[in-house]
């Protein structure tokens, strides 16, 4: 359930936050709060549990991710996006030959897209929850390890999928110049797979997954969604949808990086 947003970020910050700073565009209001040092796992858990009440979403990040400027996009842009249409458009771009360029991964892209072809196969069915999404997010945060370079970011976001637009994240710019289409997909994953945004790096994203695909057939359908979201996961990873599907089957974490 999306949370109501606070009217004022500064006034809504909890009193027990560790030392940190407010970050925003020059001359504009602050967009988010960023800790000065590594976050505390218990604090992350407490802030995540309070999201529906506060409208503030916590995410693990690092200081280097926020040094080159912000590319804020209106969250309202996501509202106008249909995830199925977005995925079909991205898929068409991957399989359509471009003059003078090799298509997608190899000379014959459909070998890499088996068992699918030129048409996007459609949205994968929702998964069966293994646990409550917030519990899986807290578990994953602990698994990531909160090392000395990690930071805690806290931003006003009705849902985790909206946070990248709110904070001006530019990680997938090499894949898409607009965040809204990708965040429409992320919203859909929240609803179908109990996904939660846990960590956001300079060009990386780590998600907890409460309801992952557990059969090979379901996993390859989800893999088709992953390749339109982040082609590098497959292109610079296993190399084919079928092989990539094996890496996400039954897993409670999804990680993406854009080269």
């Amino acid at each position: 359930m999306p949370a109501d947003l606070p009217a004022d970020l500064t006034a809504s910050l909890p009193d027990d936050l560790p030392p940190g700073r407010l970050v925003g565009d020059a001359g504009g209001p602050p967009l988010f709060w960023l800790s000065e040092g590594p976050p505390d796992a218990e604090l992350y858990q407490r802030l995540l549990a309070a999201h529906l009440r506060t409208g503030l979403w916590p995410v693990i990040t690092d200081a280097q991710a926020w040094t080159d400027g912000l590319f804020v996009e209106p969250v309202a842009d996501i509202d106008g996006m249909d995830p199925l249409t977005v995925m079909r458009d991205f898929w068409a771009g991957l399989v359509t030959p471009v003059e003078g360029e090799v298509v997608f991964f190899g000379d014959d892209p459909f070998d890499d897209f088996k068992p699918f072809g030129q048409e996007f196969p459609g949205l994968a069915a929702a998964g069966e929850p293994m646990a409550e999404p917030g519990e899986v997010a807290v578990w994953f945060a602990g698994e990531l390890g909160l090392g000395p370079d990690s930071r805690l970011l806290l931003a006003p976001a009705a849902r985790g999928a909206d946070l990248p637009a709110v904070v001006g994240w530019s990680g997938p710019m090499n894949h898409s110049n607009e965040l809204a289409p990708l965040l429409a997909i992320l919203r859909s994953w929240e609803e179908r797979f109990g996904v939660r945004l846990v960590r956001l790096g300079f060009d990386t994203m780590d998600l907890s997954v409460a309801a992952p695909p557990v059969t090979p057939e379901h996993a390859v359908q989800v893999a088709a969604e992953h390749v339109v979201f982040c082609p590098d996961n497959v292109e610079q990873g296993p190399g084919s949808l079928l092989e990539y599907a094996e890496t996400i089957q039954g897993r409670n974490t999804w990680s993406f990086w854009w080269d």
Side-chain angles (χ1 to χ4, degrees), residues 30-78:
L31 299 173
F32 59 88
W33 175 89
L34 186 67
S35 69
E36 292 180 0
D40 178 87
E42 292 184 3
L43 175 62
Y44 171 82
Q45 181 176 5
R46 188 163 67 253
L47 292 172
L48 184 64
H51 169 254
L52 282 179
R53 175 174 52 83
T54 65
L56 301 175
W57 188 272
V59 69
I60 297 167
T61 185
D62 58 81
Q64 290 73 28
W66 312 101
T67 57
D68 297 326
L70 307 171
F71 299 87
V72 178
E73 294 188 19
V75 170
D77 289 356
I78 311 171

Side-chain angles (χ1 to χ4, degrees), residues 125-152:
E128 291 292 331
M130 296 180 174
E132 195 276 323
E135 294 176 358
V136 183
V138 170
W139 162 80
F140 187 31
E143 290 294 302
L144 287 171
L146 306 179
D149 294 330
S150 63
R151 298 291 184 268
L152 182 68

Side-chain angles (χ1 to χ4, degrees), residues 227-239:
V227 78
V228 297
F229 186 77
C230 180
D232 288 336
N233 263 37
V234 181
E235 179 182 5
Q236 300 190 41

Side-chain angles (χ1 to χ4, degrees), residues 5-230:
L5 297 181
D8 182 276
L9 171 60
T10 305
S12 64
L13 290 174
D15 295 331
D16 59 348
L17 289 177
R21 61 188 174 93
L22 293 168
V23 180
D25 289 322
L31 299 173
F32 59 88
W33 175 89
L34 186 67
S35 69
E36 292 180 0
D40 178 87
E42 292 184 3
L43 175 62
Y44 171 82
Q45 181 176 5
R46 188 163 67 253
L47 292 172
L48 184 64
H51 169 254
L52 282 179
R53 175 174 52 83
T54 65
L56 301 175
W57 188 272
V59 69
I60 297 167
T61 185
D62 58 81
Q64 290 73 28
W66 312 101
T67 57
D68 297 326
L70 307 171
F71 299 87
V72 178
E73 294 188 19
V75 170
D77 289 356
I78 311 171
D79 298 335
M81 296 282 177
D82 171 60
L84 177 56
T85 301
V86 167
M87 291 189 216
R88 283 174 173 163
D89 289 345
F90 276 130
W91 185 274
L94 292 174
V95 301
T96 300
V98 177
E99 185 175 354
E101 295 183 10
V102 174
V103 182
F104 199 50
F105 307 144
D107 294 329
D108 182 359
F110 300 111
D111 282 343
D112 304 319
F113 278 70
K114 289 178 179 177
F116 311 118
Q118 193 165 3
E119 297 296 324
F120 180 69
L123 296 182
E128 291 292 331
M130 296 180 174
E132 195 276 323
E135 294 176 358
V136 183
V138 170
W139 162 80
F140 187 31
E143 290 294 302
L144 287 171
L146 306 179
D149 294 330
S150 63
R151 298 291 184 268
L152 182 68
L153 185 155
L154 192 61
R159 52 199 296 170
D162 295 352
L163 183 140
V166 172
V167 302
W169 183 63
S170 59
M173 291 291 281
N174 289 339
H175 172 45
S176 174
N177 291 327
E178 296 179 288
L179 270 179
L182 298 178
L183 300 186
I185 296 174
L186 189 53
R187 281 183 175 184
S188 181
W189 288 349
E190 284 182 340
E191 295 161 2
R192 288 181 291 138
F193 304 110
V195 158
R196 296 294 182 266
L197 175 61
V198 176
R199 182 167 66 178
L200 200 62
F202 175 73
D203 58 359
T204 61
M205 178 183 289
D206 296 291
L207 310 174
S208 61
V209 189
V214 295
T215 67
E217 296 79 13
H218 196 191
V220 76
Q221 287 187 307
V222 175
E225 299 190 16
H226 281 208
V227 78
V228 297
F229 186 77
C230 180

